[in-house]
């Protein structure tokens, strides 16, 4: 135990093994849905869902283990939502590219990703973002995951007249979210250790008792074979030979780059890791997620990146890489206990996401709102992330506006040269996303 404590510096981080294990399990519970969502999304592209299930679990476990043992951060990785939909519905179905070639595009993007990480380009960019905008990114992610929780839990729904509206309280499963939110909120206010995890457990038990969550018929099952997808991306490498496919590669690269950058900054702010506006060991964290993207492309899944749901584990008290190691082990075990995972429904995780959103939104108080040249781009980031349903799109809105407002305030010389470069990069980024 002392060896583990010393390696992860638990005493220095004011945490302990019990808290880290609870945090790791909480993070896994919060993001375990990806094991089922990703195969469904990529299955629409014609990929074997069983193979994608295993590839999802293994790539998530690999990246998270790297993040824990190498970077020593309580941050988990997995195939990213949104970009997997782009893979299936835009590239494969929309452009008519077969899934094998699309997977090769992910493989090429991951190789470029590793190169720019080795040359510390990603690290330089993250360090160049002003502290005010980093606080805005953290807060924006908080609003984004809270909105995600409210929507998944049924409290906020689509509405043709008003875009979104209040969900129906006649829907039984919505009451699971309400019960979980009330229980978790009370426990958080009373500062009960593990409040978020306890809240999820209570919600799941309530769902099982009322029959709103079906009892699992089996406990253990074998992991599906990787054979249908393993190595296909490498095999089709030579098929990346048109401008259209290079645009696909660039899109995979840019979306994953900025999604991960925003997520890492936001989580580091939440956990209190930032020092002098810099994230310690950021190079190792970036190498961990880019390596996971490469491994994922070989195993057979869409781009892998850092997950905002890691904030649930951080909120429980996770502060070291041990949290990530526990989460990684859970992903590996999850392959064999897949019949139990459907118990963790959207309504079970929704209250956790909402509460974590509250905690992350507190970073807004550290933004200099009295200075409009800062407030306008910061606000666009904060409001842009939930309303565009994308971390990278929200960042784009704010980082495009930032140089313009600073120049207008006659503070253009204070803007880092890289921020001017990002101004043009994000304009190109948005243009690429709008290519039909």
């Amino acid at each position: 135990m002392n060896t583990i404590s010393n390696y992860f510096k638990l005493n220095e981080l004011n945490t302990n093994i019990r808290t880290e294990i609870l945090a790791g399990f909480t993070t896994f519970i919060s993001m375990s849905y990806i094991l089922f969502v990703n195969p469904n999304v990529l299955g629409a592209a014609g990929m074997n869902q069983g193979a994608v299930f295993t590839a999802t679990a293994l790539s998530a476990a690999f990246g998270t283990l790297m993040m824990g043992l190498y970077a020593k951060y309580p941050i988990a990785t997995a195939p990213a939502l949104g970009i997997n939909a782009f893979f299936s519905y835009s590239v494969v179905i929309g452009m008519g590219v077969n899934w094998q070639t699309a997977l090769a595009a992910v493989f090429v993007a991951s190789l470029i990703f590793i190169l720019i990480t080795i040359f510390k380009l990603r690290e330089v960019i993250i360090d160049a973002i002003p502290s005010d905008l980093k606080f805005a990114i953290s807060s924006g992610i908080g609003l984004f995951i809270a909105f995600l929780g409210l929507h998944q839990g049924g409290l906020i729904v689509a509405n043709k007249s008003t875009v979104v509206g209040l969900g129906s309280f006649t829907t039984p499963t919505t009451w699971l979210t309400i019960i979980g939110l009330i229980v978790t909120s009370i426990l958080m206010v009373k500062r009960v250790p593990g409040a978020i995890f306890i809240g999820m457990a209570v919600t799941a038990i309530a769902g099982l008792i009322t029959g709103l969550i079906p009892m699992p018929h089996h406990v253990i099952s074998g992991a599906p074979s990787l054979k249908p997808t393993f190595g296909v991306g490498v095999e089709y490498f030579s098929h990346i030979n048109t401008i259209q496919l290079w645009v696909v590669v660039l899109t995979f690269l840019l979306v994953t780059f900025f999604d991960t950058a925003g997520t890492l900054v936001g989580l580091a702010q939440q956990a209190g890791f930032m020092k002098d506006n810099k994230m310690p060991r950021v190079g190792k964290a970036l190498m961990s997620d880019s390596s996971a993207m490469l491994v994922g492309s070989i195993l057979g899944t869409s781009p892998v990146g850092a997950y905002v749901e890691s904030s649930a584990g951080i909120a429980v008290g996770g502060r070291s890489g041990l949290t990530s190691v526990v989460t990684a082990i859970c992903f590996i075990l999850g392959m064999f206990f897949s019949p139990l995972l459907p118990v963790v429904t959207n309504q079970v995780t929704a209250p956790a996401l909402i509460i974590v959103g509250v905690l992350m939104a507190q970073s807004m108080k550290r933004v200099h709102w009295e200075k409009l040249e800062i407030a306008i781009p910061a606000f666009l980031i904060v409001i842009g992330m939930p309303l565009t349903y994308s971390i990278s799109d929200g960042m784009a809105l704010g980082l495009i506006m930032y140089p313009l407002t600073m120049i207008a305030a006659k503070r253009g010389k204070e803007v880092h040269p890289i921020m001017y470069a990002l101004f043009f990069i994000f304009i190109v980024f948005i243009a690429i996303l709008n290519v039909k």
Side-chain angles (χ1 to χ4, degrees):
M1 289 299 180
N2 285 335
T3 302
I4 295 174
S5 182
N6 292 335
Y7 182 79
F8 292 108
K9 299 181 180 179
L10 301 187
N11 293 332
E12 186 179 317
L13 293 168
N14 196 27
T15 183
N16 55 62
I17 291 176
R18 177 183 173 278
T19 298
E20 295 295 303
I21 291 174
L22 180 61
F25 191 60
T26 300
T27 294
F28 171 73
I29 290 295
S30 298
M31 61 186 288
S32 59
Y33 64 84
I34 194 60
L35 288 171
F36 297 94
V37 173
N38 201 44
N40 285 335
V41 173
L42 298 188
M47 296 183 69
N48 181 283
Q49 291 194 30
V52 173
F53 174 88
T54 303
T56 300
L58 290 176
S59 61
F62 174 82
T64 305
L65 200 60
M66 280 275 291
M67 197 70 79
L69 294 176
Y70 179 59
K72 297 184 182 179
Y73 274 121
I75 297 173
T77 67
L81 281 175
I83 194 69
N84 58 358
F86 173 79
F87 180 103
S88 290
Y89 300 107
S90 296
V91 178
V92 177
I93 297 174
M95 297 181 184
V97 177
N98 61 46
W99 67 263
Q100 293 92 337
T101 303
L103 207 55
V106 177
F107 176 68
V108 173
S110 67
L111 291 176
I112 299 172
F113 219 22
I114 287 179
L115 282 176
I116 61 177
T117 301
I118 290 173
F119 288 105
K120 298 188 176 181
L121 180 59
R122 294 173 73 194
E123 190 173 340
V124 170
I125 290 173
I126 290 175
D127 287 343
I129 299 174
S131 58
D132 284 277
L133 298 191
K134 281 178 175 156
F135 291 129
I137 289 169
S138 178
S139 303
I141 291 174
L143 296 188
F144 172 73
I145 63 175
F147 182 67
L148 187 67
L150 289 166
H151 175 62
Q152 289 183 348
L155 291 175
I156 297 295
V157 296
N159 186 303
K160 291 183 179 179
S161 302
T162 59
V163 184
V164 294
L166 190 64
S168 173
F169 291 153
T170 60
T171 304
T173 52
T174 301
W175 282 98
L176 283 181
T177 302
I178 295 171
I179 291 169
L181 184 57
I182 292 172
V183 170
T184 307
S185 298
I186 292 172
L187 293 174
M188 288 293 291
V189 171
K190 289 185 172 293
R191 301 185 184 280
V192 175
I196 292 176
F197 176 76
I198 294 171
M200 288 193 291
V202 169
T203 308
I205 292 170
L208 291 170
I209 291 174
T210 57
L212 295 175
I213 296 176
M215 285 283 186
H217 297 294
H218 305 285
V219 176
I220 300 175
S221 66
S225 171
L226 276 173
K227 188 176 180 180
T229 60
F230 184 79
V232 171
V234 180
E235 184 183 342
Y236 277 71
F237 178 85
S238 61
H239 288 228
I240 308 300
N241 52 15
T242 66
I243 293 176
Q244 182 191 46
L245 287 173
W246 277 106
V247 168
V248 171
V249 169
L250 189 58
T251 303
F252 282 142
L253 182 67
L254 288 175
V255 174
T256 308
F257 184 112
F258 291 111
D259 256 6
T260 298
T263 301
L264 286 176
V265 168
L267 294 173
Q269 290 282 15
Q270 179 196 3
F273 293 136
M274 301 297 284
K275 295 178 181 178
D276 299 323
N277 196 37
K278 292 187 177 182
M279 181 179 174
R281 308 185 307 284
V282 66
K284 291 185 176 182
L286 294 171
M287 182 55 73
S288 297
D289 82 82
S290 54
S291 299
M293 182 175 172
L294 176 63
V295 170
S297 69
I298 295 172
L299 293 175
T301 184
S302 50
V304 175
Y307 253 59
V308 293
E309 283 82 359
S310 304
S311 55
I314 292 172
V316 168
R319 289 295 180 274
S320 79
L322 182 56
T323 292
S324 295
V325 172
V326 173
T327 304
I329 292 172
C330 287
F331 267 112
I332 293 172
L333 295 176
M335 292 191 298
F336 304 101
F337 289 88
S338 56
L340 291 178
L341 294 176
V343 172
V344 186
T345 64
N346 285 340
Q347 292 74 30
V348 172
T349 60
L353 297 180
I354 296 167
I355 293 298
V356 170
V358 173
L359 298 175
M360 295 190 72
Q362 293 176 20
S363 293
M364 275 192 278
K365 67 185 178 184
R366 303 180 71 175
V367 176
H368 290 85
W369 295 107
E370 72 281 3
K371 298 177 181 177
L372 278 178
E373 63 270 28
I374 297 295
I376 292 172
F379 180 78
L380 288 174
I381 290 173
V382 170
I383 200 69
M385 287 185 184
L387 294 188
T388 63
Y389 219 66
S390 167
I391 292 172
S392 52
D393 289 351
M395 286 181 66
L397 294 176
L399 297 189
I400 287 173
M401 184 61 71
Y402 175 70
L404 300 178
T405 55
M406 289 294 282
I407 290 171
K410 297 181 179 179
R411 296 179 59 189
K413 291 182 179 179
E414 297 177 33
V415 178
H416 196 289
I418 286 178
M419 296 304 294
Y420 283 114
L422 287 178
F423 169 82
F424 293 104
I425 289 172
F426 271 115
I427 289 176
V428 173
F429 170 69
I430 289 177
I432 288 173
L433 290 181
N434 282 277
V435 171
K436 299 298 182 183

